[in-house]
Each structure stands twice: as C-alpha cells, then as structure tokens.
Amino acid sequence: MCYSTALRKKKEQIEQSLLANFDADFEIPLEYLPYYHLNGFTHGNLYIIKMDEPEKIYPASWGLVPNWALHNPEGFRKKSNTLNARAENVFERNSYKDIAEDKRCLILSDGFFEPHHENGVSIPHFCYQPSKEYPEGDLFLFAGLYNELDDELYTATIITVGANAFFAEVHNKRKRMPLVLADDLFEDWLDDGMNQPQLNELMAYGFTSQDFKAHPVTREIYKKGIDTNTPRFIAPVDKGTLF
C-alpha cells in the first residue's frame, strides 16, 4: 500500500526530467506547489499524465471516485478507500474495472512512505530513488488510474503490487509496494491498444530496475493536527538508513 507521497521538485525541474520520455507541461502551472509529505486521506492533489493527453500534467485528487459514485464523491470516500488499486484484481473490483482499460495514467513522485514494523511498532520509512543529479531522490512515475470528477477535475489511484525483495524488508507486514514503472514501459501503460492480458503482464513485471533507498523518519508523521509538509518529515532519524 502507498498512502503518503512526496513531490519536492520545482515545476521546471519536473518538466526537464520528463523530457527523455514526454514533452509534458503543467496544464495549470500556478496551482502546482512542491510537497514533502502528502497524506492520501486528505485527498490532496497528485499530478498525473493521462492516456489521451500525454503532453499535459494535470492535478488529480488522490482517491479515485468511480462513475457510479460521481453524484456523491464525499459519501463514497467516507465508505471506500481507493487511494490504491491492487494490480491482482483491478479488472474485477467495481471501483476500477470500468476504467482500467481506457483511463490509465502516470503519477509523478520523487518519494513515498512505507511502514516498517519492529516489535509491534510501526516505524515510517521514506523511500526514494537516488541519482547523480538528484541524490536526495529523482523523479519517477507510478502506474495509476484516473477518472473525471467534473470538467477537467480528476481523481486518481496508485496501482500496487506484491513487494520485491527490497520492499518486502521495508514494508515487512503487508509486503506491498506501489508500481513504479520502468522508463521503457511508460508508453505501453498509456497505450490504448493494450488488452487485459498484456496489462496484467505489465503490472506483474513492470517495476523499475533502478535502485531505491529507504530510511526511517520521525513517527510524528502519524500525528494528527500538525503540519507534516516540511523537510523535517523526510529527514533520517538517528537510527540511520536500515536498508
């Protein structure tokens, strides 16, 4: 599962990082603000690239609202958690099956948080993909689904899969991870010609081969009523990098 993410880069850095694969610009540039910690349960904005407009980056409220719940999004979200969609049943669940074939998206991120359990205590870990240019975490793209909430207002969910060896050590209880796509599969994920078997295979084997790192961060991130959108909440605690 993935219920908290980060996107710390400036708009210009994001657009530059995407150039190898997309000439994509923010459709509403003045709305974008970088963030260190976005709690999915606040339904704040993720930033997505849609199948039908790969040249644009749109904000999308985190927590997908399916077509049959559009008349009452708030009521739906009180009863249903659609922050994540399990790859194994995405074509079966009522919330996703009608859109999985034609409303896929890529979701921008440069970090996310996963719980690691020790002696019954949940220790949040910040997970990121270092590079030479961005040792603190490069841009990567989750596989996701989206739906229209209204005219140019979108909602989205992040696809999750069974954890690989690294993330099974980090997320050692549920052993899940968000599907961070390999760069050479971005276009395939957005391709409207992909059928269900092809998409299932992509989700099963499409996780990036780029290395991730993870370190423990303060458990204050779990507290309510405090501002967690600051650099302090991605900083390593004294325990240091475990994995």
Side-chain angles (χ1 to χ4, degrees), residues 20-41:
N21 299 285
F22 300 100
D23 187 8
D25 299 318
F26 283 84
E27 180 65 8
I28 312 173
L30 294 180
E31 185 173 318
Y32 173 70
L33 290 173
Y35 50 85
Y36 292 91
H37 176 251
L38 175 63
N39 180 344
F41 292 99

Side-chain angles (χ1 to χ4, degrees), residues 204-230:
Y205 301 106
F207 194 85
T208 180
S209 61
Q210 298 295 313
D211 289 337
F212 270 84
K213 288 188 175 182
H215 59 246
V217 297
T218 175
R219 294 189 75 247
E220 290 183 53
I221 208 166
Y222 293 145
K223 291 183 178 179
K224 296 181 179 180
I226 63 173
D227 181 12
T228 59
N229 188 21
T230 70

Side-chain angles (χ1 to χ4, degrees), residues 72 91 192:
N72 186 11
F91 290 107
D192 61 6

Side-chain angles (χ1 to χ4, degrees), residues 37-70:
H37 176 251
L38 175 63
N39 180 344
F41 292 99
T42 66
H43 304 298
N45 283 336
L46 299 170
Y47 287 86
I48 70 172
I49 297 173
K50 304 187 300 158
M51 287 177 64
D52 58 345
E53 293 183 277
E55 73 283 359
K56 295 180 180 180
I57 303 167
Y58 282 99
S61 176
W62 194 357
L64 188 139
V65 178
N67 291 330
W68 49 266
L70 292 178

Side-chain angles (χ1 to χ4, degrees), residues 52-92:
D52 58 345
E53 293 183 277
E55 73 283 359
K56 295 180 180 180
I57 303 167
Y58 282 99
S61 176
W62 194 357
L64 188 139
V65 178
N67 291 330
W68 49 266
L70 292 178
H71 65 288
N72 186 11
E74 291 185 7
F76 171 78
R77 282 174 166 170
K78 287 180 180 179
K79 297 179 180 179
S80 303
N81 175 0
T82 55
L83 301 179
N84 295 166
R86 293 175 65 94
E88 296 88 341
N89 61 11
V90 74
F91 290 107
E92 300 168 8

Side-chain angles (χ1 to χ4, degrees), residues 165-182:
F166 177 82
F167 282 106
E169 290 290 324
V170 180
H171 194 180
N172 60 335
K173 190 172 183 179
R174 295 286 184 88
K175 297 185 185 296
R176 302 287 298 177
M177 63 183 182
L179 178 50
V180 179
L181 280 177

